[in-house]
Amino acid sequence: MGSSDAPVLIVGGSLVGLSAALFLAHHGTPCTLVERHPGTSVHPRAVGYYPRTAELLRQVGVEDAALREAAGYATHRTRAGVTSLAGEVLFSSEELAGDDGLGDLTPSRLLLLPQDRLEPLLRERAAALGADLRFGTELLSFAEDPEGVTAVLADENGTRTFRTDWLLACDGPRSTVREALKVPRQGRGVLSHHVSIAFRADLRTVLGDRRYSVVHVKNPQVTGILVHDDTLTGGTLIVGYRPEDGESLDDFTDARCAELVSAAVGAPDVPVTIRSRFPWDMAEQVAEGFRHGRILLAGDAAHVVPPTGGYGANTGIADAHNLAWKLALVTGGTAGEGLLETYDSERRPVAAYTAEQGSLQLAVRSGDATEEQRAAAADALTVTMGQAYRSAAVVPEAGAGARPAPGDPRTLRGEPGTRAPYVRLAREGAPVATLDLFGDSFVLLAGDRGGAWLTAAADASARLLVPITARRVVPGGGGGADVLADPEGLWAERYGVRSGGAVLVRPDGVVAWRSRGADPAGAETTTLTEVLRGVLARG
């Protein structure tokens, strides 16, 4: 490749763009992010992040900071329907029921934190790891050639050209990059039009000891969704409007917005101040391709998910996580460009399924779902943790069919293409979670009689110049530096291997390959080397 200003140029500095910069920087890959706004979001927007997303933030050192920032939301777990905050409660249920009982599945938990408070944490960590973040900088145009992409950028100092190997579009549902490429989208399209109204109001007396994650409000004056913050002095109200009936954003003056918020609160004596308005469309749309030459689409630029269920931001962050390690290996010369094809083949089916699930949740929660739709609606853990990849970066076992339907993550047993299960182990006497072993490089875990696989990992690493961390997992306690103790004796069963078997886990924590036992021909080095060649698109 020719010289470049940075191997990766990220367009868009919201949740997904910042996550991409953070994940790339974590892998030591230089990247530049441009965002036309002067800073991170000033509007709350996305609020909920499922445990799998928290696991991804854990890998890059952000989970603890996010948990501290979200401490005030720890009791905001009730989803309810009300006539108003001060009025009748029509229904209520616990958000992600059983979250407190997920200790066998994950060390992480549901994270409630408005987007405007999470983004600064991502920005700070990405910058600390070396990402070049340029706010107040806009992409004016771009042109691709066989060696890379030339972009024209503008900031307060004028315009300049910027040379990059790969351009990653994280510029939202109205992505200028996707539109310039004329990439079609599939799905039900725009379902409805909405505006989010951020406000300040003292809700302490109205709420009392109640704490809601989401409130569905319906009365003669307003129908919408309200989320209050952890200070109980503000929140966001989401309402719809109908352009086909002559309604427009111009109708939402400060006075009109204050009236709507006041009606949702149900306490006329509580003063309301409007902070900001943010228009958006509820839609179900998935781009027909996530990779177009040297241009890659992620987040809302690639897919728009109905917000019912709160899957949109989680899916976008997972896009960035899936792509970052692949870009790192490709730009570093360790993997062939074919590895980037697996981004589309892995993430696009996930996006289509998740968008469909958002629509199903919308039907269920609105009371309009058919019996068939109710049966097809999956729980949040299945949607966010229970999916499987089928691509050239996954080596299926003999007899494995097409991509299996998503299912309960507790039933997964280390099948290639699925999230590597969580098991509590110990290393030289100190506790360690399997999930904390992943995130930097390939990891090979072998059974207590799988020493040949460790030798194979060292040989394959030397031949292919790809880092591999290899450990045996031994029931009980004790062991040396290359041994992980399994005091609960769960690892072999959770990963579906015998004592002579092994699993290879990708840097994103997904199982790439598994051998249930020793290699039948005693050719562990040859087998593992060929597996890695295929995963890395090395031919």
Side-chain angles (χ1 to χ4, degrees):
M1 294 183 183
S3 61
S4 63
D5 292 294
V8 182
L9 174 64
I10 302 167
V11 181
S14 192
L15 272 180
V16 177
L18 286 169
S19 295
L22 172 55
F23 295 139
L24 283 165
H26 170 75
H27 287 293
T29 301
C31 62
T32 296
L33 177 149
V34 294
E35 165 57 50
R36 63 187 180 87
H37 290 103
T40 54
S41 178
V42 297
H43 199 89
R45 297 166 69 182
V47 174
Y49 309 93
Y50 287 106
R52 178 55 179 162
T53 304
E55 289 178 358
L56 308 186
L57 299 180
R58 180 189 184 96
Q59 286 185 358
V60 291
V62 174
E63 184 187 34
D64 286 345
L67 285 170
R68 288 192 295 271
E69 185 68 19
Y73 286 90
T75 59
H76 295 213
R77 307 300 289 274
T78 303
R79 178 182 292 271
V82 302
T83 57
S84 69
L85 285 185
E88 180 185 359
V89 176
L90 305 175
F91 69 84
S92 67
S93 62
E94 290 302 300
E95 198 77 76
L96 194 58
D99 178 46
D100 293 335
L102 297 180
D104 63 327
L105 184 62
T106 176
S108 299
R109 62 178 177 82
L110 180 70
L111 181 66
L112 295 179
L113 185 65
Q115 182 170 337
D116 59 334
R117 289 167 61 178
L118 177 59
E119 283 187 5
L121 302 181
L122 301 176
R123 179 179 181 175
E124 179 181 9
R125 181 61 175 162
L129 292 178
D132 177 14
L133 308 178
R134 304 183 187 183
F135 286 80
T137 303
E138 184 175 5
L139 173 72
L140 297 182
S141 65
F142 63 91
E144 181 188 2
D145 59 66
E147 295 298 319
V149 180
T150 300
V152 178
L153 308 178
D155 60 19
E156 61 181 4
N157 297 315
T159 62
R160 60 156 294 189
T161 59
F162 188 98
R163 186 69 177 167
T164 187
D165 299 329
W166 303 93
L167 189 152
L168 175 55
C170 303
D171 52 342
R174 297 180 178 85
S175 169
T176 58
V177 174
R178 188 197 62 246
E179 291 179 359
L181 294 172
K182 297 181 170 56
V183 180
R185 290 187 289 181
Q186 298 178 339
R188 297 170 60 200
V190 175
L191 307 177
S192 53
H193 304 274
H194 300 265
V195 60
S196 294
I197 305 166
F199 66 88
R200 299 191 188 282
D202 190 342
L203 305 177
R204 289 172 292 184
T205 300
V206 175
L207 287 170
D209 60 359
R210 298 173 297 167
R211 299 295 181 269
Y212 293 115
S213 57
V214 177
V215 181
H216 300 258
V217 179
K218 187 171 185 179
N219 61 51
Q221 287 75 44
V222 63
T223 297
I225 295 175
L226 188 148
V227 178
H228 64 77
D229 68 14
D230 55 345
T231 70
L232 311 187
T233 61
T236 304
L237 175 67
I238 301 172
V239 296
Y241 67 97
R242 296 173 59 86
E244 61 272 26
D245 293 340
E247 298 177 335
S248 73
L249 289 174
D250 293 338
D251 297 327
F252 291 91
T253 62
D254 280 1
R256 174 60 178 153
C257 288
E259 289 176 2
L260 293 171
V261 172
S262 184
V265 172
D269 57 329
V270 174
V272 173
T273 301
I274 302 304
R275 290 176 50 209
S276 63
R277 288 172 292 277
F278 181 80
W280 56 277
D281 295 334
M282 181 183 291
E284 180 190 325
Q285 295 173 314
V286 179
E288 290 188 1
F290 287 9
R291 179 191 174 188
H292 300 269
R294 293 184 170 276
I295 317 297
L296 302 134
L297 309 178
D300 286 351
H303 47 73
V304 183
V305 178
T308 320
Y311 299 133
N314 291 270
T315 306
I317 293 172
D319 290 343
H321 187 260
N322 179 280
L323 186 55
W325 72 272
K326 298 174 180 178
L327 278 168
L329 292 180
V330 171
T331 59
T334 301
E337 290 185 11
L339 180 59
L340 295 179
E341 289 296 328
T342 69
Y343 170 63
D344 180 273
S345 55
E346 292 182 353
R347 293 305 300 169
R348 190 150 55 97
V350 168
Y353 171 80
T354 306
E356 179 185 40
Q357 284 297 317
S359 289
L360 289 171
Q361 290 293 338
L362 177 63
V364 169
R365 292 181 182 178
S366 66
D368 298 329
T370 64
E371 287 302 316
E372 183 180 10
Q373 287 175 316
R374 289 183 179 278
D379 64 81
L381 289 178
T382 294
V383 175
T384 57
M385 277 189 178
Q387 304 203 43
Y389 294 149
R390 284 291 180 267
S391 77
V394 172
V395 181
E397 293 176 306
R403 177 175 175 265
D408 183 346
R410 285 192 171 89
T411 67
L412 298 177
R413 290 295 179 268
E415 296 88 350
T418 65
R419 166 186 170 270
Y422 165 59
V423 182
R424 291 179 288 266
L425 302 175
R427 180 170 51 201
E428 298 182 322
V432 60
T434 49
L435 294 179
D436 292 334
L437 303 172
F438 315 137
D440 296 328
S441 64
F442 285 92
V443 174
L444 183 128
L445 299 178
D448 60 328
R449 297 183 180 178
W453 290 115
L454 269 64
T455 300
D459 291 343
S461 176
R463 291 183 184 186
L464 299 177
L465 301 179
V466 56
I468 305 174
T469 300
R471 299 283 186 270
R472 283 189 304 130
V473 182
V474 177
D482 68 340
V483 172
L484 296 169
D486 181 15
E488 298 177 70
L490 295 175
W491 180 81
E493 188 270 336
R494 291 269 177 91
Y495 278 74
V497 297
R498 299 185 293 274
S499 61
V503 294
L504 180 68
V505 181
R506 307 185 325 187
D508 59 350
V510 170
V511 177
W513 163 88
R514 176 175 67 179
S515 177
R516 293 182 182 272
D519 188 87
E524 281 86 356
T525 292
T526 299
T527 296
L528 189 58
T529 300
E530 290 308 304
V531 163
L532 278 163
R533 283 189 184 278
V535 170
L536 296 172
R538 293 272 288 267

